[in-house]
Amino acid sequence: MALSATVAPTASITPAWMATAGELMLQASLEQYIIYGVQGPGALTEAFAWGYDALENVAEGEQGSINAMFWDESGEENLVAGEVEAWTSLREDHMRALIPDPGVDLATHLADVSTRFPLDGFEDKILNFLQASLASQPVPILTQLELGKLEGMSREKTEALKRRVGIS
């Protein structure tokens, strides 16, 4: 979440981003319960803790960026503790997916959930997210210099700058 808040601090969260983040939390929970044998609701609570924190009174830093990312500015009627309502709903749906119906064995249920949300498909979603995040970043200045043109400058002015600073 901190990566998203840092990479796109002024962007609002999209349905595709929410779906990927929700599945990230679900996969983290599956890992804790299936791989590490964690018992009880603690891992579930920790994995699904991401969202707007009304108790966190910060405007800067990592938590401030995360709060800003999850804040719903569309009006009080759409707020759930200040959080984007679609995020709250999606997060709760993913949490509920991990809780078995009465009488259903937890291990059997988690195996079913891991079949409905396969890890290899999730891996593709994460790789696509990371590639899109990288593509959305501006080309680094040194790379622009190597290519011979700085954004906002002509090739001639870029070459003149490179000569002045001794790069050429």
Side-chain angles (χ1 to χ4, degrees):
M1 301 303 161
L3 172 64
S4 293
T6 303
V7 168
T10 59
S12 59
I13 54 178
T14 65
W17 182 92
M18 288 188 280
T20 302
E23 192 170 344
L24 172 66
M25 295 185 299
L26 182 137
Q27 292 290 346
S29 297
L30 284 173
E31 178 182 46
Q32 290 299 306
Y33 291 115
I34 294 173
I35 306 298
Y36 295 108
V38 171
Q39 302 287 316
L44 191 65
T45 303
E46 182 179 345
F48 285 90
W50 291 100
Y52 178 76
D53 186 349
L55 300 177
E56 194 68 44
N57 189 16
V58 294
E60 296 180 11
E62 185 176 298
Q63 187 58 47
S65 297
I66 292 169
N67 266 356
M69 184 172 68
F70 287 109
W71 175 254
D72 186 342
E73 297 176 358
S74 62
E76 292 297 319
E77 69 277 0
N78 294 325
L79 300 181
V80 177
E83 186 169 77
V84 173
E85 188 175 0
W87 172 248
T88 303
S89 177
L90 184 135
R91 187 178 60 218
E92 290 171 358
D93 289 347
H94 278 72
M95 281 180 75
R96 276 193 295 278
L98 290 162
I99 300 169
D101 291 330
V104 176
D105 176 62
L106 179 62
T108 302
H109 176 72
L110 293 177
D112 178 54
V113 171
S114 65
T115 300
R116 287 187 291 150
F117 295 92
L119 187 57
D120 57 346
F122 174 67
E123 183 179 281
D124 291 340
K125 290 176 191 175
I126 291 295
L127 289 173
N128 289 335
F129 167 75
L130 292 172
Q131 288 170 339
S133 295
L134 182 60
S136 72
Q137 298 302 300
V139 176
I141 290 178
L142 289 177
T143 302
Q144 292 179 43
L145 284 171
E146 285 178 354
L147 296 173
K149 183 169 183 332
L150 284 173
E151 186 176 322
M153 292 179 74
S154 67
R155 288 194 179 278
E156 294 77 26
K157 287 185 178 181
T158 301
E159 288 302 320
L161 173 67
K162 286 171 63 175
R163 282 191 299 278
R164 267 195 317 267
V165 296
I167 296 176
S168 198

